[in-house]
Amino acid sequence: MTLSCHRYDPSACDFPRPRVPVLAPLSRAQLGPARPAPAARRQHFARGRYALHAAYALAGVGPGGALLAPAYHCRTMLDPGLRLGAEVTLYPVTPDLHADIDGLARAAAACRTPPAAVLVTHYFGLPRALDAISAWCQAQGLPLIEDCSHALPGVAPGSTLGRVGRWAVSSPYKFFPCPDGGWLWANGDAPLPTAPARSQGLAAELRGLRSAWQQLRHVPAASDPGAIQAELAALAARTGLRGRDWVEDDAGPSDEYQAGHEGAGSLAISRWIERHTDLHALVERRRQRYRQWLQAIDAVPGLAALLPDLPAGVAPYMFPLRVDDPARLFHPLKQLGMPIWRWDDMARSECRVAQRYRQGVFHLPCHQGLSDAQMQWMTAALCTVARAP
């Protein structure tokens, strides 16, 4: 199937490398005794996107079965469906990123092939309410697949995160400081793939070990918040391109999807790091950093937390910042070396929320590996640029 997609290429901007890591680096302080494995039936994969591929295939997504996916998305949520040759139809989301049930029903009715599955996403690690979409799926006889790639199931007491859908997937490397990793787990009588995950090979395992060792030895450079004004003044004198933003028709999965990794398991070092990471410290540190972002942007013009409520016990993945004037803030912040993630590459839809959030929501780090100095520099940089005339 061909999708019409928004694309953005920042290469002409010559952005420097981020001064702060987007994902948590490995450190000895984060490691501890091994935790017992969860009791849930699950299988490991190299990435969550390949776990999604397996879930879609098990649900019947393919040439004869369409995938219903949220309009606000990372392209890798859709790639496995396109790889399977399925029609991918987008349904709208509400401003707080819940499924628009009426819009979902309209999207299902618009499918040229019968829908086979519905994907629902827990954005930024904060669980979204599933009662309405689960009831709709049950009424339609459609399996619900929970995308927990931004979430850490099983840490909040009493949480049903990852337990409502027939299948659920996660991306542990976004939380644990490991080179790769994805999980697919099945609820109820849902099947798992009959073939076990295959090894990525000795060379890949050695590269993973080398990456972990390099992170343990790396000492991050400090950045001075007091130098931000002078750096911005120097940047203002430079003339640079703003990047290329366009629309194109894509015939298949994005460049982020590698078909050769389908069915491959995660690296042994990744699973070792995941089992030996201090989970309590990880959760509490991420919650602390999320609250620091909330405090830092309070009353700053043009900035607002997209999801200001942090439920008890939940581990956030990133801090979603809603920006009134993204074109004014994005480039100077990136030129400073601010670690900003956005979903610039996104399939087109009629959903106004997705259209607004595509470039108007900045994903900012709140991981456990951030130092106090790094948080101080990031919050100072953001607020300084936001308050500039």
Side-chain angles (χ1 to χ4, degrees):
M1 176 187 171
T2 297
L3 280 180
S4 180
C5 298
H6 292 284
R7 299 295 307 278
Y8 175 71
D9 178 10
S11 57
C13 304
D14 196 25
F15 291 141
R17 293 186 64 179
R19 297 187 184 187
V20 178
V22 176
L23 298 177
L26 181 63
S27 71
R28 291 181 177 85
Q30 299 177 37
L31 300 177
R35 299 189 315 278
R41 294 185 299 116
R42 62 178 190 165
Q43 182 169 318
H44 63 94
F45 289 82
R47 286 280 193 277
R49 67 201 68 169
Y50 307 113
L52 270 179
H53 179 271
Y56 292 166
L58 290 166
V61 171
L67 171 68
L68 291 165
Y72 184 59
H73 58 267
C74 171
R75 282 284 302 280
T76 56
M77 298 178 190
L78 311 186
D79 285 341
L82 296 173
R83 166 69 177 163
L84 289 165
E87 174 186 0
V88 176
T89 300
L90 305 178
Y91 64 82
V93 295
T94 66
D96 56 357
L97 298 178
H98 290 94
D100 179 333
I101 303 302
D102 291 338
L104 174 61
R106 291 193 298 271
C111 287
R112 296 187 297 273
T113 53
V118 177
L119 180 70
V120 65
T121 299
H122 298 287
Y123 297 93
F124 307 107
L126 307 182
R128 301 294 84 197
L130 298 186
D131 289 350
I133 192 170
S134 177
W136 186 87
C137 287
Q138 289 181 11
Q140 301 299 315
L142 292 174
L144 181 67
I145 300 172
E146 283 186 76
D147 176 14
C148 300
S149 294
H150 279 191
L152 196 57
V155 298
S159 173
T160 59
L161 183 67
R163 301 177 182 176
V164 176
R166 187 160 170 76
W167 292 277
V169 302
S170 68
S171 296
Y173 76 95
K174 295 176 181 176
F175 287 88
F176 302 97
C178 47
D180 71 349
W183 288 105
L184 166 67
W185 64 95
N187 294 317
D189 62 352
L192 285 171
T194 55
R198 70 175 189 276
S199 170
Q200 295 185 44
L202 180 58
E205 294 288 355
L206 291 175
R207 286 193 296 269
L209 284 168
R210 181 183 178 187
S211 172
W213 175 247
Q214 289 174 336
Q215 288 188 60
L216 286 173
R217 299 182 63 190
H218 177 69
V219 178
S223 297
D224 180 13
I228 292 172
Q229 289 283 11
E231 292 176 0
L232 285 172
L235 289 172
R238 294 173 53 186
T239 301
L241 296 176
R242 291 282 172 165
R244 180 179 171 225
D245 203 359
W246 77 102
V247 172
E248 69 177 20
D249 289 332
D250 285 344
S254 71
D255 293 340
E256 298 298 316
Y257 191 89
Q258 300 179 41
H261 285 172
E262 292 169 1
S266 55
L267 298 171
I269 184 62
S270 295
R271 282 172 276 137
W272 188 94
I273 291 171
E274 182 183 346
R275 289 196 307 272
H276 287 80
T277 296
D278 185 336
L279 189 58
H280 175 76
L282 178 153
V283 173
E284 291 306 311
R285 191 71 163 177
R286 283 177 174 267
R287 293 176 61 81
Q288 176 193 3
R289 296 310 188 194
Y290 198 95
R291 289 190 293 263
Q292 283 181 271
W293 278 120
L294 287 171
Q295 183 177 8
I297 67 166
D298 186 41
V300 178
L303 305 181
L306 176 59
L307 301 174
D309 296 327
L310 185 59
V314 166
Y317 164 50
M318 284 196 178
F319 180 78
L321 178 74
R322 186 164 50 80
V323 182
D324 288 347
D325 190 358
R328 184 177 73 85
L329 271 61
F330 182 72
H331 287 81
L333 285 170
K334 290 287 286 184
Q335 291 290 358
L336 282 174
M338 186 77 170
I340 300 174
W341 194 256
R342 297 191 305 189
W343 284 339
D344 294 301
D345 286 4
M346 184 183 296
R348 297 176 69 191
S349 72
E350 298 300 319
C351 176
R352 293 186 178 182
V353 171
Q355 294 169 7
R356 168 73 179 85
Y357 289 178
R358 173 183 167 247
Q359 294 190 334
V361 171
F362 295 177
H363 311 183
L364 303 177
C366 64
H367 58 72
Q368 69 274 16
L370 295 171
S371 68
D372 291 340
Q374 288 171 331
M375 277 299 299
Q376 183 181 11
W377 180 82
M378 286 193 296
T379 54
L382 174 63
C383 295
T384 298
V385 173
R387 289 192 171 107

